Structure formats: structure tokens, C-alpha cells
Amino acid sequence: MPSKKRLMVAGLTMALMAALGACGGGNGSGNGSGPDDDPRGDHTVSEDSGNGQYDEGGDDLATAPETATVTGLRDAVRHVPRKTTKATRPHMVRKCTSTKGSRKCKSVRSGTETYTRVVRQERWCVSLDDVDGDTSRDAVWYQVTRTTYTEAAAADRLGPMKFTPEATGCDR
């Protein structure tokens, strides 16, 4: 009986984890409470001439897009670079012992190792004015693919654009 109960608890736990994972923000950009929210590490270009001026405007956190395709007038573009840091973790080695025809192996800690940890993923964003023809919806940020970002960066400021966003908002 105890094994049936354990199996049922494991199944319920797995179903709960799947349900929470499905409804818990799937864009991978963080939840706004981690070390990746430091705005000092990004480079944001907002002028159509490409002269390197930075856009310091605020924006909404990323959420699922409201519509599949959006249209509007290109306002600004923003590239949020990947942010990494060096971190350490235990270095594990495999230690095996042999006794009379049987061999037992286990992982044991042997010092530490340094690795590069990704704190924030790279993102490409485009801001639109007059979204879907609504003149009151200005400066709405969308996360887009690198290809869409490149097209938007080459397009004229306030020129018409139509694309399918990855997510809304462009948190830093």
C-alpha cells in the first residue's frame, strides 16, 4: 500500500508542476525580481538616423501578445544584450570502488569550478505608435525576432510596420 500512495503523490506532484509551468510566463525573460533587472547594462538606440542616442523611456513587463499580428508606425528599436557573470559550482568527480566482482561508483565533490552563467537572455525589441490604428496607443514595446528587429532598424522612423511579436513589453 505505501508504494501506491507514493506513486499517487508523485503523479499529483508532476501534474501540479506541469500546470504551474504552463501558466507561469513562458518568455524566459524573468519576472522582474531578479538580478537581471539592472537597467545599467543595456544599450538602447532610439533614433532613426542611428546616431547612438539612448532611449531611457519606461515600458511594461513582457506578457503574451494581445493579437497575433500587430501594425503601427515604427517608433524606436532596442537591443538588450545578453548579460553574463562568472560563477562557481562544486566540481564533481566519479569515484569507484571494486570488491569481489562488484563495482560501486558515486560522485564526490573535488573542489570548485568556474563557469559563465547567463543572467539575462539577449532580446530585440521594437516600439510602435498608433498600434492597430488606435492613435491613443503610442510607444508600445514588443519583443521580436532578430530578423524583424533588423528590418525595423532599417525602416524609416514613423514608417508603417506589420509583424508578429514574440511578447509585449521590453523589460531590461
Side-chain angles (χ1 to χ4, degrees):
M1 275 301 193
S3 63
K4 273 188 173 180
K5 193 180 232 181
R6 201 175 307 151
L7 184 60
M8 195 163 56
V9 169
L12 183 62
T13 303
M14 187 174 69
L16 181 62
M17 286 175 46
L20 290 175
C23 65
N27 61 6
S29 64
N31 61 4
S33 63
D36 60 342
D37 296 325
D38 184 2
R40 292 172 287 180
D42 68 341
H43 304 281
T44 307
V45 180
S46 65
E47 291 295 314
D48 61 332
S49 62
N51 61 5
Q53 292 185 356
Y54 292 97
D55 175 25
E56 300 296 340
D59 47 45
D60 299 327
L61 292 177
T63 58
E66 295 172 7
T67 60
T69 302
V70 294
T71 59
L73 305 177
R74 178 216 178 261
D75 184 23
V77 293
R78 177 184 292 165
H79 174 242
V80 182
R82 182 176 86 149
K83 188 175 184 180
T84 61
T85 186
K86 293 290 184 188
T88 58
R89 61 183 168 211
H91 179 71
M92 304 301 281
V93 295
R94 190 171 181 152
K95 184 176 180 182
C96 299
T97 56
S98 299
T99 57
K100 293 187 182 181
S102 70
R103 185 174 177 189
K104 295 183 179 179
C105 297
K106 62 180 179 177
S107 292
V108 294
R109 183 176 173 169
S110 175
T112 59
E113 61 185 7
T114 304
Y115 69 103
T116 301
R117 183 170 63 95
V118 178
V119 177
R120 176 183 61 216
Q121 292 294 333
E122 185 173 27
R123 288 189 295 280
W124 299 274
C125 304
V126 175
S127 173
L128 293 180
D129 285 344
D130 300 342
V131 177
D132 293 331
D134 184 355
T135 57
S136 65
R137 290 185 63 198
D138 288 340
V140 179
W141 285 96
Y142 295 99
Q143 286 185 34
V144 296
T145 63
R146 184 177 187 163
T147 305
T148 304
Y149 169 83
T150 304
E151 292 169 3
D156 292 332
R157 189 167 190 276
L158 298 178
M161 291 215 56
K162 181 178 182 179
F163 57 84
T164 303
E166 302 272 310
T168 58
C170 189
D171 56 332
R172 301 179 198 203

